[in-house]
Amino acid sequence: MIEHTGPEPSRPLRAWIRSSPGTHIWLLIVAVTSVVVAIAPDRLDHVLLHRNSSNIHQLVKYPLRALLSSAFWIENPASLALYALLFELFHATVERWLGTLRWLVIVATAHIVATLASQKVLLMAIQDNRAPHSMTHVVDIGVSYGLAASIGVLTYRLPNPWRWFYLAGAVAFFGIPLLTGGTFTDLGHAISLAVGLLAWPLTLHPDPHRVDVSRET
């Protein structure tokens, strides 16, 4: 687990980043890959996104690479600012609360489980002729599964009664699309939210090295 140093009142931005290093390293990599996609020549961006997808084709041929690389790309670089905001609201908050190691275990587990489960369901749909075979090459990348897990586990950080309003909102946000003809991605989001909620045992003991950012700014 990463130990954080003491307060740095003269360097609030540095202190903010150091309080959640995993979140900001991840976000930096996503920013770099987004720039690569944005400046890539015509059609090269499609090649990059497909090669780094965790779709059925890539999972069969390169399972470890597909699972890892798909977590560091987003399909639309214009969404980077929104994802940066969501990283700060959810990932950074959970990482500061639980520590880098426990946060990483939760989001990595959600990303892997949601990807494998949703692609398995898609494969079964293809085999039953309920989905076209071309879906084996569908672009399946992004950071949203990890975000859904952080949103789920953050439920246990909130006091009553706000916790229940937050939980109802999260379940509705991820559950309604799934219940109204959702895609395999919607299924992955629901699974990731469930992984976050099932991570409750990891929230029982706060991180002893947690930084109180308010004292550093």
Side-chain angles (χ1 to χ4, degrees), residues 101-134:
L101 180 58
R102 281 182 283 183
W103 163 78
L104 184 59
V105 167
I106 294 168
V107 297
T109 300
H111 177 76
I112 294 170
V113 171
T115 297
L116 294 178
S118 60
Q119 289 298 321
K120 177 62 176 179
V121 170
L122 177 59
L123 176 60
M124 294 170 62
I126 293 172
Q127 293 172 337
D128 293 341
N129 296 317
R130 291 181 287 110
H133 190 269
S134 60

Side-chain angles (χ1 to χ4, degrees), residues 8-214:
E8 299 177 84
S10 62
R11 298 176 179 178
L13 179 59
R14 180 180 176 183
W16 178 264
I17 293 174
R18 289 188 67 188
S19 67
S20 50
T23 294
H24 291 96
I25 291 172
W26 190 1
L27 183 58
L28 176 61
I29 297 173
V30 171
V32 171
T33 58
S34 296
V35 171
V36 170
V37 170
I39 66 176
D42 288 346
R43 299 199 61 80
L44 179 57
D45 56 342
H46 297 288
V47 173
L48 289 170
L49 294 178
H50 278 86
R51 281 183 60 85
N52 290 283
S53 289
S54 53
N55 55 37
I56 295 170
H57 176 75
Q58 293 294 330
L59 284 172
V60 170
K61 295 189 66 175
Y62 316 103
L64 294 180
R65 189 194 75 181
L67 285 171
L68 179 63
S69 63
S70 62
F72 297 103
W73 297 76
I74 56 177
E75 193 166 0
N76 182 7
S79 302
L80 179 60
L82 173 61
Y83 280 114
L85 176 62
L86 295 174
F87 266 56
E88 296 295 344
L89 286 175
F90 299 108
H91 280 321
T93 301
V94 173
E95 186 179 1
R96 293 187 190 104
W97 170 39
L98 298 179
T100 300
L101 180 58
R102 281 182 283 183
W103 163 78
L104 184 59
V105 167
I106 294 168
V107 297
T109 300
H111 177 76
I112 294 170
V113 171
T115 297
L116 294 178
S118 60
Q119 289 298 321
K120 177 62 176 179
V121 170
L122 177 59
L123 176 60
M124 294 170 62
I126 293 172
Q127 293 172 337
D128 293 341
N129 296 317
R130 291 181 287 110
H133 190 269
S134 60
M135 291 292 287
T136 57
H137 295 272
V138 70
V139 173
D140 182 30
I141 58 172
V143 300
S144 57
Y145 290 165
L147 276 168
S150 281
I151 290 170
V153 75
L154 191 59
T155 301
Y156 305 112
R157 179 66 169 160
L158 301 177
N160 291 322
W162 305 112
R163 171 182 300 180
W164 302 108
F165 290 110
Y166 173 89
L167 177 60
V171 170
F173 183 83
F174 291 111
I176 290 176
L178 182 62
L179 297 175
T180 55
T183 65
F184 71 91
T185 302
D186 295 319
L187 174 62
H189 289 151
I191 292 172
S192 295
L193 180 69
V195 170
L197 293 171
L198 291 171
W200 170 74
L202 295 179
T203 71
L204 297 180
H205 303 287
D207 176 18
H209 305 299
R210 183 172 64 89
V211 174
D212 185 354
V213 179
S214 63

